[in-house]
Amino acid sequence: MTKINGAEAMVRMLQLYGVKHIFGLCGDTSLPFYDALATLDHDMQHVLTRDERSAAYMADGYARVSGRVGVCEGPSGGGATYILPGIIEANESSIPVLGITTDIATTSRGRYTLTELDQKSLFRPLTKWNGVLDRADKIPETVRASFRAMTTGKPGAAHLCLPFDTQKEVAVDPADLWAQPEHARYPAWRSAPDPEAVRAAASAILAARQPLFICGGGVVIAGAGAELTSVAGRLGAPVATTISGQGSLPEEHPLCVGVVGSNGGTPPTRAVVEQADLVVFTGCRAGSVTTERWRFPAKSTRIVHIDADPAVIGAIYRTEVALVGDAKLALRALDDEIAARTAEIRRGNGRALAAAARKQKYDAFNRLAGSSETQILPERLVSELHAVLPRDAVLVCDPGTPCPYFSAFYPVQEYGRHFISNRAHGALGYAMSAAVGAWFGRPQAKCVAVMGDGSFGFTAGEMETIVRHKVPLMMVVVSNSAYGWIKAGQKTGFGQRYYSVDFTRTDHARVAEGFGVKAWRVTDPSELKGALAAAAEHGGPSLVDVVTQPLHEAHAPVSEWVA
């Protein structure tokens, strides 16, 4: 059988894993790979981006909503360094993204070749799986290994580097081109917790006066909403989420408290955490934001921890019982065990606690959301946008102003991934590109990117990509002429000494129109809902530039500032 070259082998392997979209940017070292994509018969679409960071963020958004591995690619040198931020974000967020970088030829190493970079060392500490393919015949087994690593256990990102000569080397036996199709999606090869640990966890929970579930992104990744609903309902236990855990339980469910923590949490939701005598962290790392720097819950609170990654259990809180495994299987086993011990159940007042927290939170929010002040308050933007979007919309919010407001007050009404924010590292420039990826992954949904004006400056060039691919993305820019999060921190922690955080206001609508995007600019609160509705109904790309109250003057749900 005639052997094939490395570039063709890579394309064939991606096709075998059901890859439909590859997000990336061209470069000299990628020429053989691009030629293979151009000449071979396949059903994959290459989405040319204007920045490698954007390509990785698109792959991230795609993977989050589709349940499939996201794929991005870029060339050597600067391309490899630019693609890295998105790979790091995906890996730390347990999202399987495969970053393919090309490289100079192996024979050119150590000769001061343009764009030479030790890519293996660069990506090693920041990915779940990492490899440089110096031999073309190793491509099939290496691709299989990377997909297996990305989708099993705790999902994560992988990096594959393809040197120029490896791409051209004719050394791959077509008989070696086979895939493990179960690794095209995640989570794959789910693991269940030890039955003895399940019994111990049930005993701990049943002995509690008021248990509380705090659910992270692991519940959404596992698709464990039904199991969570069943066990929480059986116990009458309230359910709170992290920002990434939104969609674990629809916020209209009577047991849903909403987001807790220092970003998006509020005093009423914190009160529910304070009243719990046992917390079940589920698919959640119990990090600094979720626990408000490890203060809520208190260190004395009894803890049951469910996670696919054993390393996070007991890292911060003393854990009474650990359930190591997939959240769906763990919650199902826990529910079955508790159902068999009905006589021991002491139903908590979770519905009353959740209802009181929601009422207090939204009473305060609605007073501001209904304000007709001459400047547009962020609360009003959240309320008006929610009113014009469908229930199943996918909202992608950048850090800064959008994340705390929308995570706190934009109710996710469906199970699953409908709210996305890059919570691992919080880099600006994420929302627009990730929302593009989300649309490719879920084209039937209305996808919306909400970003601050600082973030817009990072990523405006991708509007050309959006227009070229006719992506019907709705974009909202929160315009307050500052890096607002930092300015708010300078206000509360550094005596209002504002230094190097302000910039000139941009007319983002005119910028968008220059790219061919239908755009509106709003400064009057009475015109806001109409502009948002028109943008939501527009059949193509749209952008609404909303001039808002500066974040350092606002009432953001960020505990460090509220205090």
Side-chain angles (χ1 to χ4, degrees):
M1 188 176 293
T2 304
K3 293 187 176 182
I4 61 175
N5 67 33
E8 179 176 350
M10 177 59 72
V11 171
R12 294 299 186 206
M13 287 300 297
L14 294 176
Q15 187 178 25
L16 287 169
Y17 274 99
V19 173
K20 300 299 181 186
H21 299 92
I22 302 171
F23 306 93
L25 185 59
C26 52
D28 290 346
T29 55
S30 304
L31 284 167
F33 181 53
Y34 272 53
D35 194 56
L37 286 169
T39 57
L40 295 174
D41 182 22
H42 59 79
D43 60 355
M44 295 183 289
Q45 179 183 10
H46 185 274
V47 179
L48 175 65
T49 65
R50 303 301 297 269
D51 188 300
E52 291 89 351
R53 290 176 302 175
S54 302
Y57 291 148
M58 288 179 191
D60 178 318
Y62 174 90
R64 290 189 197 232
V65 304
S66 69
R68 306 185 69 87
V69 174
V71 179
C72 57
E73 60 83 20
S76 58
T81 59
Y82 288 171
I83 210 169
L84 191 59
I87 300 298
I88 297 169
E89 178 65 38
N91 191 58
E92 291 297 308
S93 301
S94 303
I95 303 299
V97 168
L98 174 61
I100 300 170
T101 57
T102 55
D103 203 359
I104 63 170
T106 60
T107 54
S108 298
R109 291 174 182 162
R111 301 171 67 86
Y112 302 103
T113 305
L114 183 67
T115 73
E116 181 174 5
L117 179 68
D118 184 354
Q119 293 192 31
K120 190 167 188 177
S121 295
L122 177 67
F123 284 88
R124 181 183 295 118
L126 304 170
T127 52
K128 187 178 180 185
W129 201 96
N130 176 42
V132 176
L133 289 153
D134 288 349
R135 289 172 47 184
D137 63 340
K138 295 293 184 182
I139 288 175
E141 64 186 71
T142 305
V143 171
R144 286 192 291 271
S146 66
F147 272 82
R148 190 162 55 245
M150 285 187 288
T151 59
T152 58
K154 176 190 175 185
H159 164 247
L160 291 178
C161 174
L162 283 173
F164 191 85
D165 50 349
T166 301
Q167 297 173 63
K168 298 184 72 175
E169 182 187 5
V170 180
V172 182
D173 186 343
D176 292 334
L177 300 178
W178 55 272
Q180 293 172 285
E182 63 269 34
H183 297 143
R185 305 189 68 88
Y186 71 102
W189 289 356
R190 299 174 188 253
S191 60
D194 184 338
E196 188 172 319
V198 171
R199 288 190 288 273
S203 295
I205 293 168
L206 290 168
R209 171 187 50 80
Q210 185 58 71
L212 167 70
F213 288 84
I214 298 181
C215 299
V219 176
V220 180
I221 289 170
E227 289 76 12
L228 172 66
T229 303
S230 181
V231 69
R234 195 179 304 282
L235 294 163
V239 176
T241 76
T242 68
I243 293 171
S244 298
Q246 288 180 275
S248 298
L249 196 66
E251 292 195 34
E252 60 193 12
H253 191 283
L255 288 171
C256 187
V257 173
V259 169
V260 295
S262 59
N263 187 342
T266 59
T269 60
R270 178 200 294 158
V272 179
V273 180
E274 291 182 289
Q275 292 177 64
D277 61 336
L278 182 143
V279 168
V280 186
F281 285 119
T282 311
C284 166
R285 297 182 296 184
S288 61
V289 173
T290 301
T291 63
E292 299 191 54
R293 296 191 179 275
W294 311 286
R295 293 178 296 142
F296 307 102
K299 289 292 181 70
S300 58
T301 307
R302 298 169 63 210
I303 301 294
V304 172
H305 203 149
I306 301 170
D307 207 278
D309 181 6
V312 308
I313 299 175
I316 306 299
Y317 284 90
R318 181 175 181 175
T319 302
E320 188 169 323
V321 185
L323 298 184
V324 180
D326 174 82
K328 186 180 187 73
L329 299 186
L331 288 171
R332 181 184 297 165
L334 187 60
D335 190 32
D336 289 345
E337 177 67 22
I338 291 172
R341 297 162 63 174
T342 306
E344 299 177 55
I345 294 176
R346 298 189 297 176
R347 286 185 60 82
N349 60 338
R351 288 185 175 229
L353 288 172
R358 287 196 304 270
K359 184 179 186 306
Q360 291 175 45
K361 179 173 79 168
Y362 281 106
D363 281 351
F365 168 77
N366 289 332
R367 285 193 291 272
L368 294 169
S371 169
S372 296
E373 290 187 26
T374 53
Q375 62 179 341
I376 298 172
L377 302 186
E379 290 86 354
R380 180 151 186 167
L381 172 59
V382 176
S383 177
E384 302 283 37
L385 185 58
H386 181 261
V388 303
L389 292 180
R391 289 174 59 94
D392 64 347
V394 176
L395 201 67
V396 186
C397 288
D398 264 309
T401 303
C403 183
Y405 276 102
F406 281 87
S407 63
F409 302 120
Y410 187 97
V412 175
Q413 297 170 288
E414 304 280 344
Y415 286 103
R417 189 77 72 184
H418 293 274
F419 184 91
I420 300 172
S421 187
N422 49 326
R423 297 309 311 147
H425 291 284
L428 297 184
Y430 175 86
M432 185 188 294
S433 296
V436 171
W439 179 79
F440 277 103
R442 197 182 291 172
Q444 73 278 14
K446 184 64 182 178
C447 294
V448 183
V450 186
M451 68 205 86
D453 43 5
S455 189
F456 178 89
F458 277 67
T459 190
E462 293 306 333
M463 284 190 290
E464 188 280 326
T465 307
I466 292 165
V467 171
R468 175 168 26 97
H469 285 278
K470 299 180 173 61
V471 178
L473 181 68
M474 179 180 175
M475 295 165 275
V476 178
V477 180
V478 183
S479 179
N480 51 33
S481 305
Y483 288 111
W485 188 282
I486 307 306
K487 191 168 185 177
Q490 289 176 340
K491 176 184 180 180
T492 56
F494 294 86
Q496 301 184 42
R497 292 184 293 276
Y498 302 128
Y499 177 77
S500 206
V501 289
D502 297 297
F503 47 80
T504 305
R505 190 180 302 280
T506 299
D507 188 334
H508 304 97
R510 291 189 63 188
V511 174
E513 289 170 345
F515 282 98
V517 174
K518 180 72 172 174
W520 295 258
R521 188 168 190 264
V522 184
T523 59
D524 185 338
S526 67
E527 298 174 357
L528 179 60
K529 188 172 183 179
L532 292 172
E537 293 168 5
H538 181 61
S542 63
L543 182 143
V544 183
D545 183 22
V546 186
V547 179
T548 66
Q549 178 189 46
L551 188 59
H552 69 286
E553 297 177 5
H555 301 274
V558 178
S559 61
E560 294 175 9
W561 304 339
V562 172

